[in-house]
Amino acid sequence: MREVPVDAEQTAVETIQREMTVFARRARASAGRMHPELSLVSYTLLGHLEESGGCRATDLAAYYALDKSTVSRQVSALERAGLVERRQDPEDHRVQVLDLTEAGRRILAQVTVRRRAAVRERLEDWPQEDLDRFAGYLVRYNGSTGARPADD
């Protein structure tokens, strides 16, 4: 492993933090434009429910390192909007599992198409090698098992 001067490492980490904050703010702002009633958190939760085939609210909270009350509020809003429903877990009838409704699947698909188009537009002039490298870095970063700060 090579030695990196402390100043260079600190500068790089500060730049990464600043740029990730800008990225997060833009993502939250664009979520409202994609679907006015679907926040970035709601979109993320719907996506997870689709990928997982349904799960408990506590599983969502644990996976995204969110407070259970935050997830509860989001899920309640999604239920009221008719995008999520609760069903009994077939293996444990005491447990309620969250799943997408047909309307939830439809809206998620619409927003996903728009979000992908927006990302493609921002990256349209990037060479494939840069796209592959960037994708790999994001997967590596998000897969890190290091301690997660509260404002991550």
Side-chain angles (χ1 to χ4, degrees), residues 43-61:
Y43 172 77
T44 304
L45 297 180
L46 289 177
H48 187 84
L49 290 174
E50 181 182 56
E51 287 176 20
S52 67
C55 66
R56 299 174 304 163
T58 54
D59 297 332
L60 288 171

Side-chain angles (χ1 to χ4, degrees), residues 68-88:
K68 290 177 188 175
S69 65
T70 300
V71 171
S72 179
R73 281 191 304 278
Q74 291 290 330
V75 166
S76 292
L78 292 170
E79 283 181 297
R80 283 191 305 278
L83 305 179
V84 169
E85 62 188 358
R86 293 179 191 267
R87 60 178 165 77
Q88 204 172 48

